[in-house]
Amino acid sequence: MIRIPFLRADSPPLFPPLATALEKPNGLLCGGGDLGPARLLAAYRHGIFPWFDPGEPILWWSPDPRCVFDLAAFHVARRLQRFARQSSWTLDADSDFGAVVDACAAPRAGGGGTWIGPEMRAAYLRLHETGHAHSIEVRDQGELVGGIYGVAVGRVFFGESMFSRRSGGSKIALWALARQLSHWGFALIDAQVANPHLLALGAHLIPRAQFVGVLDQYCELPVIGASWRNQFGYTRVTELGGIERF
């Protein structure tokens, strides 16, 4: 039987030391608490995130190693560059956060459920309303074809989920996000737990201690703003310019 600490819903937004996280399952730290903005922001700031299936208790994780995208060496496949140069798709940020979350929560090809249940959806909508959670939207003639959402703390972006309704939709969203964050001086995009898809997109693993060191440096920097809608630097996919590295 797995035994972990359980937090009360009314307890302060504090967590056990990361060194106490389990090795199997990798990174399971504690359970319980709540999904209010104060606890969520404290969690991300210290390298912790919630992950649980609908109907289960809230579980908090901090895996070691950590999966990240390095903005200083973000790679874009040549095929995607060619597509971008000819694309009529458009880009926006924070224009329809709820729709992006709902698309990420929808059943994927191959079946299976989703971990983005009503409780998680409501929690991230609250973070968005308070200016801490953001989305990138990719559209084709107004139709939402791809997107990504996550949480920004200082100059670190913690990616939560992304989706594609057309081939390349999520890749374009990730590329646009990475390029904008690079311009803003962000350190990295946290991808949390590695999987073959993320690794194929260029994510890599770093030790948790190294990840926490990045958080200590970059999470204390000033935030960009409550809404990214008017600050996002791109309105068309062609504006990404087919640049392989930036």
Side-chain angles (χ1 to χ4, degrees):
M1 178 180 294
I2 297 174
R3 296 185 180 275
I4 54 173
F6 262 79
L7 311 174
R8 298 195 318 270
D10 61 351
S11 64
L14 301 173
F15 293 89
L18 299 188
T20 65
L22 300 181
E23 294 183 4
K24 293 183 179 182
N26 182 13
L28 181 56
L29 181 65
C30 62
D34 69 304
L35 295 175
R39 194 180 303 274
L40 280 171
L41 292 175
Y44 284 111
R45 167 63 185 83
H46 294 94
I48 304 163
F49 59 88
W51 187 22
F52 59 98
D53 289 330
E56 292 184 347
I58 300 171
L59 297 176
W60 300 93
W61 303 76
S62 184
D64 188 11
R66 192 76 166 218
C67 185
V68 302
F69 288 95
D70 184 358
L71 297 180
F74 191 85
H75 178 75
V76 181
R78 294 189 182 277
R79 182 179 179 182
L80 191 63
Q81 293 180 60
R82 289 194 298 269
F83 174 82
R85 286 194 291 267
Q86 303 170 8
S87 177
S88 62
W89 289 2
T90 58
L91 293 162
D92 206 350
D94 287 347
S95 66
D96 202 342
F97 183 87
V100 173
V101 175
D102 289 343
C104 290
R108 306 296 175 100
T114 177
W115 54 270
I116 308 174
E119 190 177 8
M120 289 284 274
R121 183 184 188 278
Y124 287 94
L125 284 173
R126 286 193 297 270
L127 275 187
H128 176 64
E129 291 166 358
T130 57
H132 298 288
H134 303 279
S135 60
I136 305 299
E137 298 88 21
V138 183
R139 299 182 186 275
D140 182 8
Q141 299 182 4
E143 178 187 356
L144 191 62
V145 298
I148 185 171
Y149 81 95
V151 177
V153 180
R155 301 297 170 93
V156 178
F157 189 86
F158 301 87
E160 278 298 315
S161 189
M162 55 186 178
F163 78 96
S164 286
R165 288 176 176 158
R166 303 271 184 85
S167 178
S170 63
K171 295 178 183 178
I172 291 290
L174 178 63
W175 181 12
L177 173 65
R179 190 168 181 195
Q180 183 67 70
L181 295 180
S182 181
H183 290 326
W184 282 339
F186 275 61
L188 50 76
I189 297 174
D190 173 34
Q192 299 179 345
V193 179
N195 61 44
H197 178 63
L198 292 174
L199 297 176
L201 292 176
H204 64 101
L205 297 173
I206 63 174
R208 182 171 59 204
Q210 180 181 343
F211 178 71
V212 170
V214 173
L215 301 189
D216 289 342
Q217 180 179 357
Y218 284 89
C219 284
E220 300 304 314
L221 297 179
V223 299
I224 293 299
S227 174
W228 289 359
R229 188 167 189 177
N230 296 323
Q231 301 185 64
F232 197 65
Y234 309 98
T235 59
R236 304 188 69 84
V237 170
T238 52
E239 292 174 329
L240 294 177
I243 299 174
E244 183 177 1
R245 294 185 185 273
F246 47 84

